[in-house]
Amino acid sequence: MAGVPPGMNRRMREEERRRGGEEEERASEQKEKGEGRRRSRGAGVRTRRVRRMEEDLLVQTSCSRRPILKRPTTEETNEVGKRKKRDDQGGEQKLPVLNTLRRKHMSVGVVGRASGSAYLESGRTKVVCAVHGPKTDVRSSLFSEHGRVSCFVSISGLSGWDGDRREEEERATELGILPALQSAINLSRYPKSVIEIHVSVVEEDGERLSACIACASLALAHAGIEKFDMVSSCSLALRRGKGIVLEPSTGLSCHDGTLSLSYMHNRKEVTQLVQEGQWKQEEVAEAMRVGLRACRSLYALMRIALMKHQEEEEEEEEV
């Protein structure tokens, strides 16, 4: 560089700096273009993934049990209007309940020498029940792995039945009580034993069978008999064109149909269903719904009676 003038060196350095700056600008531009291509390529991939997910979601929604919400068509709107008009005219409306449950009074421990006893008053119907046992079944000579339940019903002369007619009513009530309670008692815990249920109808104003079943179930609970659950019972009557009557005071002769329902609340099981008269399927379903609701209310009253008696016994022990 000895023969190069000083001004030439300065120009060469400036030329080199200018070329270096241009190369850096081109490199940065190429880098930005590459990053832009990668971003656009990634965005396209993400867009395709989102589209696939949306398509899968639509397929799953269309195949799921829950239908996709859509605007109803004109035909569907007209059908709904026709159905509502039929309901307003009484074609498919629910049967009204014409009355309420009777006033109830329950108490336990009313018979001194019995294993368990109870008293139930439903309106003017009054029932007393005593339970004896379990004790050895002297009638059976063979060993039995399961116990037996026997029921005896006596109807007072104040009930209005006389002579042979009263005996028939007593037998019919016995046959109605046994199947309603047998399925609620754990008879496998009482082999070769018998549990006797004695029911006395002091006064009757309809509602005899349901009152006897509830009173007997309450007496069994007081006696400490092992059961799956207490049984509550309710009867209903149908007046076609008018509605449903709870706990009717008259029988089938004054109504189009009668229904008696026995129910275990905790196990959600119906132990007995007695139906008389002519019923439609919709009428039976509505009567069952009303009867189960009444049985739940009666079950709560039965529990209150047992708890009240237990509290009284604890107070006497403390004194």
Side-chain angles (χ1 to χ4, degrees), residues 164-187:
D164 296 338
R165 181 60 176 169
R166 183 168 62 183
E167 293 180 359
E168 293 177 1
E169 292 295 327
E170 289 174 352
R171 183 57 181 165
T173 307
E174 292 174 0
L175 295 177
I177 294 174
L178 278 176
L181 296 179
Q182 279 181 338
S183 57
I185 302 174
N186 189 7
L187 295 175

Side-chain angles (χ1 to χ4, degrees), residues 82-95:
K82 292 178 182 179
R83 192 182 301 117
K84 185 177 180 181
K85 186 177 181 180
R86 287 198 304 268
D87 295 345
D88 295 338
Q89 293 176 354
E92 299 178 1
Q93 63 182 359
K94 294 182 179 179
L95 294 173

Side-chain angles (χ1 to χ4, degrees), residues 297-308:
S297 301
L298 182 60
Y299 179 85
L301 296 176
M302 295 167 67
R303 285 194 60 188
I304 291 173
L306 286 173
M307 294 172 63
K308 183 178 179 180

